[in-house]
């Protein structure tokens, strides 16, 4: 029979509908399926790993898994990315140039311009969305950093969270960095993991690896054939550097010879492997102010010993990453699928200089540059604690340039040290090499090429539509021809770069570069020109010899900048601007006992640069009640208020320097405890502890926790996750309060620190958050 015109609900039904099933024909929607024989895809993205940090690119660090992949696969030696994290991740997952994807900077700013939206727009399709629409299972673990920090808390939009952007499952950190022993916050799918204390022996890289393996085992238990896409975005190698004792022990003493010798050895290995042609020159140590590296021999024996220790920790973390990948590939091999699995290993940008000239044992203090000569950016902790859970450390920038061997500069700059990174791809079943092909490719490639290349390899075309909107077309191009033949020409012949005024433009072997110099107008670049065919390490500035080429490429940069939403150019100072609506994050808040730990950014807005009061409401203290009333922070900085043996204690952790004051015994029936905090000169706080309205104790002149500290958010009734007081955690654990705690109320006062200082500190913190 014919369905009457007024009937509803039968649109697009391909079967036949009668009055009963006797005269009807069923039809079922067929879910999308991947092309026959479609390979699995694993993309491993490392954070802040330099060009030379793995064996296939010249490193002395043990990376047997990567060595095997490179031996049988392809190495792109001329692969480029953006100078910072969020832009690279956006470009990798969307195939779009970073500003066009909305990520001209990291997702810890909000200056209010299209190229710095710092959230994925509705017309931006992602690689996992395309793969899932074509029959793939999709999983992500690790660092995300494509969500504005203001949107990481409950009640905020989740439009840019992983499971809203194409991933079936997600486990990791939305932040730009984290502790490896006490992550401040982990997210599973769409919800925060409400964990009080991490188990003994916990290490974040192992946790992420366990979760990734669990996802694959879960899939194969339910579906033996469905191909998967696993995006494993490591939190390593971002600071703070922390490594397991067993991995650290392996590298003890191996860096005593210093960064000059290690750089020489790595470059010699790169030449021997054919990464660069004979005759290539290694860049000298950076000498520019703010980037400079001293000769290793000019350091004192004490400095050499400490600096070598930092690099031991770094090497141990690289080793741990290789172990992680080995465990995942072992699992894939157990299912007999390793030959038909595409594995990509690369980094989001080059090695970093954020540890400064001397490194730091107090990571978050290093970024609070306030112009105070007494400010300590490297709190002199016991050097035996370097790399452990108790400290947040980073290596000196001499090791950063070593990571970037043989190039100049670092993460954040558009020179090769910031944007040229290792790239290894393996697919035994689909990319078989000729016997005379060593797998090394010298053709130019860019991070936007990865998505179209992977789709080309698996045989999938994007639909061009997302949520009914025309999706932005890829800026990247497929590099499959290059992967298949060492003689193929690259299809990616030109590329702009821009980051906080640092500029770059590549075209057919020429590269135009400009560092944004302090005090110089952001739109007045001092251009340098390099012939990369003959000078791949960017040593000889030939701008004066080829003024016409400089003018040509400068004009091309300008045209490309307009075409990719780069304008207006944003200075580091401009990046401190936040949308006015965020001011409400500093409104008073009452937190009931039992509430989950507050998210870090929300917590910080309650105390940063201002007076604030903390009011604890008890339902009558009783003798014997004990435990933490409120805690904010972890070993890298924070404060807590607790009761032990009938006495009230306030503890303050100034970037690892802990002080406690005793506010005396408590009488039965006490119902109100307060901590009043007042801004004092030179970026310090004065604390006063009150009991039922009476002053009990004072702690004046404590250096403020600013920038990214405190890293762990506010907990009520327990010191959750990372301990503010190491000694108390060892004795009492998280020390949950045993009495009747009603609530804790934060009442922030006005910001009292001069705005110039606030902008300076928050500017540096945004770069640290990368």
């Amino acid at each position: 029979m014919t369905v009457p015109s007024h009937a509803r609900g039968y649109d697009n039904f391909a079967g036949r509908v009668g009055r009963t099933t006797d005269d009807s024909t069923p039809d079922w929607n067929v879910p999308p399926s991947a092309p026959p024989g479609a390979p699995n895809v694993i993309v491993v993205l490392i954070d802040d790993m330099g060009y030379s940090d793995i064996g296939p690119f010249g490193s002395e660090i043990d990376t047997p898994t990567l060595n095997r992949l490179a031996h049988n696969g392809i190495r792109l030696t001329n692969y480029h990315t953006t100078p910072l994290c969020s832009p690279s991740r956006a470009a990798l997952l969307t195939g779009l140039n970073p500003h066009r994807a909305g990520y001209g900077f990291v997702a810890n700013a909000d200056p209010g311009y299209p190229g710095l939206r710092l959230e994925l727009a509705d017309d931006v399709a992602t690689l996992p969305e395309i793969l899932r629409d074509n029959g793939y299972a999709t999983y992500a673990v690790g660092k995300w950093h494509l969500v504005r920090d203001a949107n990481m808390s409950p009640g905020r939009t989740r439009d840019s969270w992983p499971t809203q952007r194409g991933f079936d499952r997600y486990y990791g950190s939305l932040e730009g960095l984290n502790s490896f022993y006490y992550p401040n916050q982990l997210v599973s799918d769409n919800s925060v993991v409400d964990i009080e204390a991490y188990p003994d022996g916990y290490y974040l890289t192992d946790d992420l690896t366990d979760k990734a393996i669990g996802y694959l085992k879960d899939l194969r238990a339910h579906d033996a054939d469905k191909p998967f896409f696993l995006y494993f975005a490591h939190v390593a190698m971002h600071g703070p550097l922390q490594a397991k004792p067993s991995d650290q022990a392996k590298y003890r003493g191996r860096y005593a010879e210093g960064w000059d010798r290690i750089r020489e050895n790595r470059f010699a290995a790169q030449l021997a492997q054919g990464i660069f042609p004979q005759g290539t020159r290694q860049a000298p140590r950076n000498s520019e102010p703010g980037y400079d590296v001293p000769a290793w021999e000019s350091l004192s024996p004490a400095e050499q010993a400490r600096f070598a220790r930092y690099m031991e920790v770094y090497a141990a973390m690289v080793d741990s990453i290789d172990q992680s990948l080995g465990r995942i590939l072992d699992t894939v091999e157990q299912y007999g699928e390793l030959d038909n699995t595409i594995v990509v290993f690369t980094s989001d940008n080059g090695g970093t200089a954020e540890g400064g000239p001397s490194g730091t044992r107090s990571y978050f203090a290093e970024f609070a540059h306030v112009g105070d000569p007494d400010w300590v950016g490297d709190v002199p902790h016991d050097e035996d604690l370097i790399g452990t859970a108790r400290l947040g450390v980073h290596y000196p920038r001499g090791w950063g340039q070593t990571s970037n061997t043989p190039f100049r500069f670092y993460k954040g700059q558009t020179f090769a040290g910031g944007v040229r990174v290792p790239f290894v791809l393996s697919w035994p079943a689909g990319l078989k090499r000729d016997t005379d092909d060593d797998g090394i490719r010298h053709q130019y490639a860019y991070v936007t090429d990865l998505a179209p290349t992977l789709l080309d390899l698996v045989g999938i075309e994007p639909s061009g539509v997302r949520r009914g909107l025309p999706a932005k077309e890829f800026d990247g191009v497929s590099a499959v021809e290059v992967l298949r033949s060492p003689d193929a020409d690259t299809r990616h012949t030109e590329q702009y770069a821009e980051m906080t005024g640092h500029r770059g433009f590549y075209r057919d072997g020429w590269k135009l570069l400009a560092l944004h110099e302090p005090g110089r107008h952001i739109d007045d670049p001092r251009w340098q020109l390099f012939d990369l065919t003959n000078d791949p390490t960017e040593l000889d500035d030939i701008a004066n010899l080829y003024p016409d080429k400089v003018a040509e490429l400068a004009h091309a940069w300008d045209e490309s900048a307009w075409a990719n939403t780069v304008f207006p150019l944003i200075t580091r100072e401009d990046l401190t601007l936040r949308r006015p609506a965020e001011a409400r994050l500093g409104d008073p808040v009452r937190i009931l006992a039992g509430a989950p730990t507050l998210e870090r950014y929300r917590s910080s807005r309650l105390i940063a640069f201002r007076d604030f009061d903390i009011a604890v409401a008890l339902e009558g203290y009783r003798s014997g009640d004990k435990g933490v009333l409120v805690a904010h922070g972890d070993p890298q900085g924070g404060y807590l208020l607790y009761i032990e043996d009938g006495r009230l204690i306030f503890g303050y952790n100034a970037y690892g320097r802990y002080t406690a004051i005793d506010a005396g015994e408590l009488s039965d029936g006490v119902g109100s405890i307060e901590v009043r905090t007042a801004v004092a000169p030179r970026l310090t706080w004065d604390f006063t502890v009150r009991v039922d309205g009476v002053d009990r104790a004072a702690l004046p002149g404590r250096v403020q926790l600013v920038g990214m500290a405190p890293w762990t958010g506010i907990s009520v009734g327990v010191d959750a996750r990372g301990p503010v007081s190491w000694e108390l955690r060892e004795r009492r654990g998280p020390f949950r309060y045993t009495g009747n705690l009603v609530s804790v109320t934060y009442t922030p006062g006005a910001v009292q620190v001069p705005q110039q200082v606030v902008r300076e500190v928050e500017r540096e913190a945004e770069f640290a958050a990368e």
Side-chain angles (χ1 to χ4, degrees):
M1 64 171 289
T2 301
V3 177
S5 60
H6 63 275
R8 295 190 291 185
Y10 299 102
D11 297 344
N12 301 318
F13 179 68
R16 180 173 179 273
V17 175
R19 296 186 65 87
T20 70
T21 55
D22 289 340
D23 56 355
S24 302
T25 304
D27 182 66
W28 292 271
N29 291 326
V30 179
S33 59
N40 304 313
V41 179
I42 298 174
V43 173
V44 179
L45 182 66
I46 311 303
D47 199 342
D48 290 1
M49 173 179 279
Y51 188 84
S52 72
D53 280 334
I54 60 174
F57 282 76
S59 180
E60 72 291 337
I61 301 171
D62 293 335
T63 55
T65 304
L66 287 165
N67 294 350
R68 289 195 300 272
L69 288 177
H71 179 74
N72 298 311
I74 304 295
R75 280 176 281 179
L76 298 185
T77 67
N78 201 8
Y79 173 82
H80 293 67
T81 183
T82 86
L84 287 180
C85 160
S86 298
S88 293
R89 290 157 202 273
L92 185 152
L93 288 171
T94 68
L96 303 179
N97 284 325
H99 295 81
R100 193 160 164 257
Y103 290 86
F105 191 62
V106 295
N108 295 80
D110 194 8
Y113 297 103
L116 291 134
R117 189 176 186 272
L118 305 174
E119 297 274 339
L120 292 167
D122 287 342
D123 63 349
V124 173
T126 67
L127 176 62
E129 287 173 329
I130 297 167
L131 290 172
R132 185 166 67 180
D133 287 347
N134 286 274
Y136 272 73
T138 55
Y139 303 110
V141 296
K143 171 177 170 175
W144 183 242
H145 210 194
L146 294 175
V147 177
R148 284 195 304 111
D149 45 18
N151 283 342
M152 292 191 295
S153 56
R156 305 290 295 175
T157 177
R158 282 169 162 72
D159 287 351
S160 282
W161 285 40
T163 53
Q164 273 72 279
R165 286 294 169 167
F167 288 106
D168 299 328
R169 302 293 310 275
Y170 169 71
Y171 180 79
S173 172
L174 298 178
E175 298 270 18
L177 58 105
N178 227 316
S179 166
F180 289 86
Y181 285 99
Y182 299 106
N184 71 329
Q185 179 173 283
L186 293 175
V187 169
S188 180
D189 299 331
N190 246 11
S191 301
V192 171
V193 179
D194 188 17
I195 188 168
E196 183 172 294
Y198 292 96
D200 291 342
Y202 179 90
Y203 189 68
L204 179 58
T205 300
D206 292 341
D207 186 16
L208 298 175
T209 306
D210 291 343
K211 187 64 68 171
I213 290 172
Y215 285 155
L216 302 186
K217 289 181 176 180
D218 183 44
L219 174 65
R220 285 294 171 258
H222 292 84
D223 192 320
D225 302 314
K226 192 180 186 74
F228 63 80
F229 170 51
L230 171 63
Y231 172 60
F232 196 138
H234 276 274
V235 176
M237 300 296 298
H238 201 293
L241 303 181
Q242 296 170 318
K244 292 184 292 186
S246 57
D247 291 331
Q248 288 191 57
K250 184 176 180 180
Y251 292 92
R252 192 71 73 225
R254 289 177 64 174
Y255 291 94
E257 57 189 329
W259 49 58
D260 291 325
R261 182 62 59 82
I262 296 295
R263 287 185 72 226
E264 292 173 4
N265 293 343
R266 289 188 177 190
F267 185 51
Q270 290 170 340
L271 292 175
Q273 293 177 23
I275 301 295
F276 296 100
Q278 294 296 324
T280 301
R281 295 168 295 157
Q282 179 171 218
R285 287 187 304 273
N286 293 319
S287 59
E288 294 79 358
Y291 305 101
D292 56 302
V293 174
W296 183 260
E297 294 303 319
S298 72
L299 303 174
S300 70
E303 288 175 320
Q304 290 180 348
R306 185 169 76 253
F307 293 3
R309 185 68 175 272
Y310 289 127
M311 189 60 192
E312 292 169 5
V313 178
Y314 185 91
M317 293 175 68
V318 174
D319 193 310
S320 175
I321 286 170
D322 190 83
Q323 295 173 43
S324 164
L325 180 56
R327 290 179 56 204
I328 291 170
L329 298 187
D330 285 347
T331 301
V332 175
E333 189 160 26
Q334 287 179 24
Y335 291 109
E337 301 177 27
L338 191 55
D339 278 356
N340 199 31
T341 297
I342 299 171
V343 181
V344 173
F345 181 95
T346 188
S347 178
D348 64 347
N349 48 248
T352 180
E354 65 190 29
S358 301
T360 179
R361 286 160 284 183
S362 49
Y363 184 72
F364 291 128
E366 175 67 16
F367 303 106
H369 300 296
V370 295
D372 183 343
D374 294 330
W375 184 273
V376 179
D378 177 23
V379 176
H381 296 295
D382 182 349
E383 293 180 15
D384 287 340
L385 299 178
I386 290 175
T388 70
R390 293 189 62 170
L391 297 188
V393 310
H394 217 310
Y395 62 17
R397 59 182 176 236
W399 290 122
Q401 190 174 8
T402 302
S403 289
N404 299 332
T405 300
F407 305 121
R408 292 192 291 160
F409 296 107
Y410 317 92
K411 158 188 167 181
Q413 291 86 57
T414 50
F415 280 71
V419 301
R420 201 160 164 182
V421 294
F423 186 102
V424 178
L425 186 148
S426 172
W427 184 21
L431 288 174
K432 298 183 183 298
R433 300 197 326 240
D434 294 337
T435 54
D436 59 347
D437 182 359
D438 62 6
I440 292 177
R441 302 289 185 267
H442 299 293
Q443 298 92 323
Y444 182 92
Y446 189 64
V447 61
T448 54
D449 299 339
L450 184 57
T453 298
L454 290 173
L455 292 174
D456 192 357
L457 287 174
V458 304
I460 289 175
E461 286 282 342
S463 68
V465 176
R466 184 181 186 275
R467 291 189 174 180
L469 298 173
K472 292 180 179 177
E473 295 182 356
F474 289 148
D475 292 310
V477 295
S478 173
V480 167
E481 293 176 1
V482 170
L483 295 176
R484 295 195 183 282
S485 171
D487 301 319
D489 292 330
T490 180
R491 295 176 55 207
H492 204 128
T493 57
E494 63 179 50
Q495 180 62 47
Y496 84 94
E498 191 280 333
M499 185 61 58
T500 62
H502 301 312
R503 306 187 191 196
F505 194 82
Y506 170 86
R507 176 181 282 173
D508 291 332
W510 295 92
K511 189 174 180 182
L512 195 68
L513 288 167
L515 285 175
H516 177 50
E517 303 167 28
R520 191 178 183 91
H521 191 275
I522 193 169
D523 203 18
D524 182 24
R526 194 190 306 273
W527 289 115
Q528 300 180 52
L529 179 67
F530 299 95
D531 173 9
L532 299 187
T533 303
N534 299 303
D535 180 22
T537 47
E538 302 169 358
L539 299 184
D540 299 324
D541 175 14
I542 53 177
N544 291 336
L545 299 178
Y546 297 94
D548 291 344
K549 179 60 71 173
V550 171
E552 171 199 331
L553 297 182
H555 177 74
W557 184 93
D558 205 69
E559 293 292 302
S560 187
W562 280 115
N564 286 284
T565 332
V566 174
F567 293 113
L569 297 173
I570 303 292
T571 65
R572 291 171 71 117
E573 288 72 21
D574 295 328
L575 289 167
T576 62
L577 182 66
R578 294 281 186 154
R579 63 181 64 190
E582 280 193 27
R584 63 190 294 267
L585 297 178
D587 291 346
V589 60
R590 181 169 177 257
I591 310 168
L592 295 179
T597 301
L598 259 66
E599 183 272 324
R600 173 196 61 82
Y601 186 68
R602 165 62 163 144
S603 298
S604 72
R605 296 304 89 189
L606 298 171
I607 70 168
F609 307 106
R610 61 175 86 220
D611 301 339
F612 63 95
D613 290 343
I614 308 170
V616 179
L618 301 175
E619 200 174 281
Y621 168 78
R622 294 179 178 82
S623 178
D625 292 346
K626 59 180 180 285
V628 172
L629 301 171
V630 62
H632 185 186
D634 49 47
Q636 298 181 61
Y639 56 88
L640 82 168
L641 186 68
Y642 66 95
I643 300 171
E644 185 176 30
D645 299 327
R647 307 188 71 85
L648 179 65
I649 309 296
F650 177 73
Y652 191 75
N653 184 333
Y655 306 103
R657 287 193 281 203
Y658 183 79
T659 306
I661 55 171
D662 188 333
E665 293 186 2
L666 295 180
S667 303
D668 283 0
V670 166
S672 172
I673 299 173
E674 295 175 83
V675 177
R676 291 193 168 181
T677 310
V679 169
R682 300 176 69 176
L683 209 60
T684 61
W685 276 317
D686 294 337
F687 295 97
T688 303
V689 180
R690 298 165 57 88
V691 177
D692 282 344
V694 178
D695 290 0
R696 284 288 197 91
L699 186 63
R702 298 297 101 178
V703 61
Q704 289 186 32
L705 299 169
V706 293
M708 303 303 292
W711 184 243
T712 300
I714 297 167
S715 297
V716 171
V718 66
D719 183 12
R721 302 170 190 169
V724 174
S725 167
W726 193 268
E727 184 271 338
L728 183 65
R729 175 61 64 90
E730 288 185 324
R731 287 193 294 106
R732 295 286 196 172
F735 206 16
R736 180 168 287 280
Y737 187 62
T738 62
N740 293 321
L741 172 60
V742 178
S743 64
V744 172
T745 300
Y746 275 75
T747 305
V751 171
Q752 301 287 4
V753 175
Q755 280 301 308
Q756 180 180 352
V757 174
V758 172
R759 286 193 295 269
E760 185 177 352
V761 172
E762 294 205 332
R763 179 192 69 205
E764 297 302 324
E766 286 162 358
F767 277 81
E770 193 288 322

